[in-house]
Amino acid sequence: MTTGTTSATTTEPKPMTDASLILTETDGAVGIIRLNRPKVLNALNPELMSMLAAQCEAWDKDPAIHVILIAGSERAWAAGADIGDMAERSAIEMYERDQFATWERIKRVKKPLVAAVSGWALGGGCELMMHCDIVIASETAQFGQPEINIGVMPGAGGTQRLSRAVGKAIAMDVILSGRFLSADEAYRFGLVSRVVPTEHYYSEALKVAHALAKKSSIALRLAKEGVLKAFETTLSEGLEYERKLFYMLFATEDQKEGMRAFVEKRRPDFKGR
Amino acid sequence: MTTATTYETIAFTVADHVATITLNRPTVYNAFNDALTTELHDALKTAERDADVRVVVITGEGKAFSSGQDLGDLKAKYVPGHVPHLGEDLKRRYDPIITRITSMDKPVIAAVNGVAAGAGCSLALACDLRVASEHASFIEVFINVGLIPDSGSTWFLPRLVGLGKAMELCCTGDKVGAEEALRLGLVNSVVPAAELMSATMTLAGRLANLPGRGLALTKHLLRRSFERDLKAQLEAEAFAQETAGMTADHTEGVVAFIEKRKPTFTGR
């Protein structure tokens, strides 16, 4: 893994000769991960997923990083999983290997995950995208859960997260028919946060990541937790939970700084404490 | 330098960065049979991909631009008890042509030499610009055979002439002559028949020497402007301008202006 400290460019990630499954760099308080299996359109294999999870966990603990940006290439964010690797496995093997357990580690990341998505976001790629908190998609991005076409179904959260994101009617259509959604549809259905011209999808995602990185890091984490709670609980419990998170922020320096800066009409200087 | 590709039902030439596609079934007024729609789409695809091509011109050989679907070709299908599946036919043969024209980065000009009827009319309307001969005419002829104006006509026509006039033309099947078409905004200019191709090539030549990326971005912004609200369009303009600002042609244009000389654009 190349953990560099070079400052990020605002253009499309350049193809690198490095054989690493993921490429990482930091740009200020933004940690950037690029999925790097161009020959297989960034298909997600277990090795890549555990490297991705490990990097996310490392940055989640690193106070210098506030936001994590995950990008693919312009052609493919991630086009599914390694089918060849799974084709002949038995149910017991799959159960014991429990490849989707790694995904739980990404789910547990507390810092905001921003996805820069262009091209194919299919199967596991779509599911990885749905683990992210804000999705900036290019106009040419396409989304789908085509597992049905090879006699299986989504296994890394697709049936659960897609249904929560777009509702039953669209989720059933996508998962049962295997049809792809255009960027425009994905935006209308609430699957992605913003759609921008392909030339700008990466720079826009980076811009969003930097904008978040300027906020209070602790407030970001609790706000993310609050939103995710909405998908796990009842309204009354969620409201109760939200209220506790809100009160909890009054124990932070950032709350004092943010509110004082507002009153004093100046920009706040957050410390993440 | 002129290069020509051999087709049966169309002629395809590239000269001075302009690709010219001539519908070439003059004995049947350039009606669309299966071969013609296939070849037209293929030629459009070739023109789109050829980096040397900056502008595309579509015109018709002989008296007509195009009379639309070749009904003779459908004769076999119209036997008692047979139900044609025209929707599938449209999706397979016509819609790819229309979307290819609207989505490609290069400007597409229709040089309308004569009658443009039915899908032939739709083809002319789908183009970005229309230069008409004095003999040109447009007919949304579909209603006369109980059909609806397809291949994009119900989308393009109200955008070009307004809903009221579009309704009239589509519901009556009335013919619009060249002068009236100009008055309605249906065509960009009308020229004497003998000057159609020279006038079209002058226009195409001008476009071919303008900044290609700027033209492409402008085309796509205008194409989508009816679908977006002002706020979304302003946002789209900002992104497009960001892109345009990064082009070499933009720098060249500004530098040439400052140096008081003619700019040389490269399309980058």
Side-chain angles (χ1 to χ4, degrees):
Chain A
M1 188 184 319
T2 52
T3 306
T5 49
T6 50
S7 74
T9 57
T10 53
T11 53
E12 164 73 9
K14 288 180 209 72
M16 298 184 199
T17 47
D18 198 309
S20 306
L21 299 175
I22 62 169
L23 300 172
T24 65
E25 62 181 302
T26 58
D27 182 18
V30 178
I32 304 169
I33 300 174
R34 291 164 184 184
L35 308 175
N36 188 39
R37 297 186 73 207
K39 279 185 192 145
V40 288
L41 300 174
N42 292 332
L44 305 169
N45 62 12
E47 294 72 36
L48 188 155
M49 285 311 295
S50 51
M51 286 173 88
L52 181 65
Q55 186 59 59
C56 286
E57 282 167 344
W59 275 337
D60 209 24
K61 290 194 196 94
D62 181 349
I65 297 296
H66 295 181
V67 179
I68 298 168
L69 173 66
I70 305 178
S73 69
E74 187 174 313
R75 208 169 145 230
W77 152 262
D82 271 0
I83 310 299
D85 176 59
M86 282 188 280
E88 300 307 325
R89 285 181 195 272
S90 70
I92 304 297
E93 270 181 280
M94 287 300 284
Y95 181 79
E96 305 224 303
R97 187 163 80 144
D98 200 10
Q99 63 190 44
F100 297 131
T102 322
W103 297 65
E104 284 287 320
R105 294 163 61 192
I106 295 166
K107 180 192 158 200
R108 282 196 297 268
V109 172
K110 289 193 164 69
K111 290 177 183 170
L113 298 174
V114 177
V117 180
S118 182
W120 305 114
L122 303 178
C126 192
E127 289 167 309
L128 175 62
M129 184 190 89
M130 289 189 285
H131 278 71
C132 297
D133 303 307
I134 296 182
V135 179
I136 308 300
S138 86
E139 282 174 338
T140 47
Q142 294 211 63
F143 310 85
Q145 298 288 163
E147 290 89 343
I148 198 76
N149 295 331
I150 53 168
V152 286
M153 55 175 281
T159 61
Q160 301 305 299
R161 287 200 177 85
L162 191 64
S163 313
R164 282 167 169 79
V166 304
K168 175 184 167 184
I170 302 295
M172 286 290 191
D173 185 10
V174 168
I175 292 168
L176 302 189
S177 79
R179 87 168 172 106
F180 296 167
L181 299 178
S182 67
D184 189 43
E185 287 176 302
Y187 177 69
R188 278 189 282 125
F189 300 153
L191 185 58
V192 304
S193 317
R194 305 181 199 180
V195 176
V196 301
T198 306
E199 293 96 332
H200 300 287
Y201 87 95
Y202 183 73
S203 59
E204 192 67 11
L206 190 60
K207 217 180 283 174
V208 170
H210 276 296
L212 298 193
K214 287 197 193 75
K215 319 278 183 205
S216 161
S217 172
I218 179 73
L220 281 177
R221 274 176 286 166
L222 295 198
K224 167 173 173 168
E225 207 179 317
V227 174
L228 290 178
K229 195 72 174 177
F231 297 98
E232 302 272 5
T233 188
T234 63
L235 178 62
S236 330
E237 277 178 34
L239 290 172
E240 191 68 29
Y241 193 76
E242 176 190 83
R243 213 170 296 157
K244 280 175 183 154
L245 293 176
F246 184 80
Y247 297 151
M248 194 171 139
L249 283 172
F250 282 72
T252 66
E253 290 173 28
D254 281 356
Q255 172 270 323
K256 297 286 175 294
E257 167 61 11
M259 290 193 169
R260 277 174 198 152
F262 180 84
V263 172
E264 293 163 14
K265 295 186 168 59
R266 60 174 173 81
R267 279 175 191 279
D269 178 21
F270 293 123
K271 303 272 189 261
R273 291 192 294 268
Chain B
M1 196 188 67
T2 304
T3 57
T5 313
T6 316
Y7 290 106
E8 262 178 49
T9 59
I10 61 169
F12 181 74
T13 58
V14 177
D16 301 325
H17 307 299
V18 178
T20 305
I21 301 169
T22 308
L23 310 177
N24 194 20
R25 300 184 73 214
T27 52
V28 290
Y29 298 109
N30 300 321
F32 297 129
N33 61 0
D34 234 354
L36 198 155
T37 47
T38 305
E39 293 190 346
L40 175 56
H41 185 243
D42 186 76
L44 284 166
K45 198 156 72 177
T46 305
E48 182 181 17
R49 289 180 184 170
D50 184 345
D52 189 47
V53 171
R54 296 181 194 160
V55 180
V56 181
V57 170
I58 303 176
T59 190
E61 182 65 39
K63 281 171 72 179
F65 179 73
S66 169
S67 56
Q69 170 61 35
D70 191 338
L71 294 176
D73 211 39
L74 291 182
K75 227 180 267 171
K77 291 188 181 171
Y78 284 85
V79 291
H82 178 80
V83 180
H85 289 288
L86 300 178
E88 284 175 25
D89 205 45
L90 282 174
K91 283 189 193 174
R92 180 175 62 84
R93 295 175 54 213
Y94 289 94
D95 297 354
I97 293 170
I98 302 303
T99 49
R100 178 75 58 177
I101 292 170
T102 56
S103 67
M104 79 163 78
D105 281 350
K106 300 163 188 185
V108 183
I109 307 172
V112 187
N113 53 306
V115 66
C121 183
S122 305
L123 175 66
L125 300 186
C127 293
D128 299 309
L129 294 161
R130 277 156 297 284
V131 180
S133 134
E134 59 196 327
H135 301 318
S137 61
F138 300 84
I139 320 173
E140 295 289 6
V141 72
F142 300 88
I143 195 65
N144 295 325
V145 287
L147 296 179
I148 59 95
D150 61 28
S151 304
S153 261
T154 62
W155 200 87
F156 297 116
L157 200 58
R159 281 164 170 74
L160 287 166
V161 302
L163 184 58
K165 197 68 195 176
M167 196 69 83
E168 178 192 329
L169 297 178
C170 291
C171 291
T172 62
D174 280 352
K175 176 164 142 180
V176 177
E179 284 308 324
E180 194 191 351
L182 182 64
R183 196 168 49 77
L184 290 173
L186 197 52
V187 299
N188 299 89
S189 58
V190 176
V191 297
E195 292 164 27
L196 177 66
M197 286 324 284
S198 62
T200 304
M201 286 306 157
T202 304
L203 175 63
R206 274 180 63 193
L207 296 177
N209 288 306
L210 287 170
R213 201 75 195 107
L215 282 178
L217 291 163
T218 303
K219 165 173 172 168
H220 296 311
L221 281 168
L222 289 172
R223 283 279 184 200
R224 296 199 58 187
S225 66
F226 288 85
E227 302 158 40
R228 297 196 184 109
D229 60 20
L230 177 61
K231 191 166 170 286
Q233 187 70 5
L234 289 172
E235 178 109 336
E237 283 181 2
F239 276 117
Q241 201 69 299
E242 184 87 14
T243 311
M246 292 172 184
T247 61
D249 282 348
H250 165 60
T251 312
E252 166 63 8
V254 174
V255 171
F257 179 81
I258 293 166
E259 293 174 358
K260 296 193 169 71
R261 61 170 171 82
K262 277 191 82 174
T264 309
F265 297 119
T266 56
R268 285 190 300 273

